[in-house]
Amino acid sequence: MAQLRSLYETSKALYDHVQVPMPKDGEARDTYIDTVNDLLERREQYTDGVKPPESEAETRIAREIIRLSKQIAKELESGKAAIQKDIRSHEQRKRAVQYENPYSGPTPDGVFVDSKK
């Protein structure tokens, strides 16, 4: 029962954490993701030692854990999609800046550029 209770408490903490929208700025986002990872690791440790429920109270807790897990998975999927969208937009901006003006850099030695035509 103690293992199941610990799993429930960790799942509830993770659920509460993912209900808060993911921050947009880098440092706060990193902290948010680190907290999610820590809670997932802790939850995985409790999951390994859980036995099937033996009483009605344990069955109710197990059902609540399953419900929370489904919601957590949905929220993590949407967070993953948001991160992938940010990565794609960053890559597009990077490519756009790369080809913006190829002649803005220094000219190599030995190249003559005639400004008059």
Side-chain angles (χ1 to χ4, degrees), residues 3-4 7 45-52:
Q3 190 83 10
L4 192 62
L7 176 61
Q45 291 172 354
Y46 293 131
T47 306
D48 293 339
V50 172
K51 297 177 182 141

Side-chain angles (χ1 to χ4, degrees), residues 64-94:
E64 182 66 15
I65 290 171
I66 292 169
R67 186 187 70 77
L68 290 174
S69 294
K70 289 178 182 178
Q71 293 294 324
I72 290 168
K74 190 187 327 181
E75 293 294 330
L76 291 178
E77 244 345 278
S78 66
K80 178 182 170 187
I83 291 172
Q84 287 175 338
K85 180 181 172 188
D86 289 346
I87 289 172
R88 274 189 242 111
S89 68
H90 178 68
E91 287 173 351
Q92 287 175 349
R93 277 186 273 138
K94 187 176 175 182

Side-chain angles (χ1 to χ4, degrees), residues 32 68 87 104-105 116:
Y32 181 90
L68 290 174
I87 289 172
S104 65
K116 298 180 184 178

Side-chain angles (χ1 to χ4, degrees), residues 102-109:
Y103 302 108
S104 65
T107 58
D109 291 337

Side-chain angles (χ1 to χ4, degrees), residues 17-76:
H17 184 70
V18 297
Q19 290 302 308
V20 176
M22 188 181 307
K24 297 288 184 190
D25 61 330
E27 188 67 33
R29 180 178 270 189
D30 290 343
T31 304
Y32 181 90
I33 293 171
D34 288 340
T35 304
V36 168
N37 285 334
D38 291 342
L39 289 169
L40 284 171
E41 288 173 7
R42 209 169 0 147
R43 194 172 88 148
E44 183 179 354
Q45 291 172 354
Y46 293 131
T47 306
D48 293 339
V50 172
K51 297 177 182 141
E54 298 173 355
S55 67
E56 183 62 33
E58 288 180 354
T59 304
R60 277 188 271 126
I61 293 172
R63 285 186 183 141
E64 182 66 15
I65 290 171
I66 292 169
R67 186 187 70 77
L68 290 174
S69 294
K70 289 178 182 178
Q71 293 294 324
I72 290 168
K74 190 187 327 181
E75 293 294 330
L76 291 178

